[in-house]
Amino acid sequence: MPDPLTFALDLAQIDTVPVAGQHRGKGAFTGGGNAMHRRPMIAAAAMLWLGLGAAIPAPPPPPKVGDIAPPFEIRLIDGTRIRSQELAGQVVVLNYWATWCAPCKVELPLLDRYYSMRRDAGLRVFAITTEDSLPASRLKQLFSVMHIPAVRSLRGKYGTLGAVPTNYIIDRAGRVRYAKAAALELEDLNTLLVPLLREPAPAS
């Protein structure tokens, strides 16, 4: 019997090959990222054409390993809002994925199962669908079988690191311990998360 989450991914008719996509690194694709970044470029060109163009500031760089995690606010598909302050003392994974990304289709069910087994130990995982993915209305069946909360939007200094999937791991003390565009496998999850879950939460 197929895994319900994998089955839902298939039913969503998610494309497995991005248009003009390129493979980058271990299980990461850049195709959707290019589409996502074309939108602000087109908007900037339109502003210049209309004579409205002012210098557009570059977005802030995403956090690096060892940085204190920048604050963020998540809005879930059901409308719930979660601020990073509410997650203090827990181990947090921010997973950026795209519906056209083949490695994401393998990683997401794994993350979902891992989260369901480890959440009682203080693990929180959030799946952030990129803007160039299928609309949320076409992913309702997928979201209905996920244990991981599905994110509609995230406000903060985070984003894909040139490819998807991109994962950030934040420890109980609020420090970034992993930031990379690569698909996580079970061995990676155990190596990265088990030591962090064993660390005590800092005293409040």
Side-chain angles (χ1 to χ4, degrees):
M1 182 175 181
D3 177 81
L5 180 53
T6 303
F7 185 60
L9 282 166
D10 292 336
L11 285 180
Q13 297 180 347
I14 294 172
D15 296 330
T16 59
V17 180
V19 176
Q22 294 180 340
H23 186 272
R24 174 176 175 174
K26 172 189 167 188
F29 275 94
T30 60
N34 293 337
M36 184 163 53
H37 292 302
R38 279 199 295 271
R39 292 172 183 159
M41 292 173 64
I42 293 170
M47 290 176 65
L48 288 170
W49 178 263
L50 294 171
L52 302 175
I56 299 176
K64 303 183 299 295
V65 173
D67 290 350
I68 295 296
F72 59 85
E73 181 178 281
I74 287 172
R75 183 162 68 97
L76 303 181
I77 292 297
D78 65 6
T80 302
R81 294 182 184 271
I82 301 174
R83 295 180 298 171
S84 52
Q85 297 95 312
E86 300 170 41
L87 303 172
Q90 301 181 72
V91 177
V92 178
V93 178
L94 302 178
N95 171 255
Y96 284 84
W97 73 287
T99 55
W100 48 260
C101 164
C104 300
K105 290 181 67 176
V106 177
E107 182 191 57
L108 189 60
L110 173 63
L111 276 174
D112 194 69
R113 289 192 295 270
Y114 201 88
Y115 168 68
S116 68
M117 292 186 297
R118 299 284 187 176
R119 58 184 169 185
D120 290 343
L123 177 64
R124 300 295 301 273
V125 181
F126 297 94
I128 304 118
T129 312
T130 59
E131 293 179 3
D132 54 345
S133 295
L134 292 175
S137 60
R138 292 185 58 186
L139 298 174
K140 289 181 179 179
Q141 185 168 1
L142 169 63
F143 296 151
S144 70
V145 298
M146 285 174 55
H147 298 94
I148 295 174
V151 175
R152 184 178 295 277
S153 62
L154 183 149
R155 295 177 56 187
K157 299 178 182 179
Y158 298 85
T160 59
L161 297 174
V164 287
T166 287
N167 289 285
Y168 297 90
I169 298 177
I170 302 168
D171 68 14
R172 296 185 189 276
R175 192 172 295 275
V176 177
R177 301 288 286 269
Y178 181 90
K180 190 174 181 180
L184 295 171
E185 299 176 356
L186 179 58
E187 183 179 355
D188 301 319
L189 293 174
N190 285 330
T191 300
L192 292 165
L193 294 176
V194 170
L196 300 184
L197 292 170
R198 287 175 174 167
E199 292 179 355
S204 57

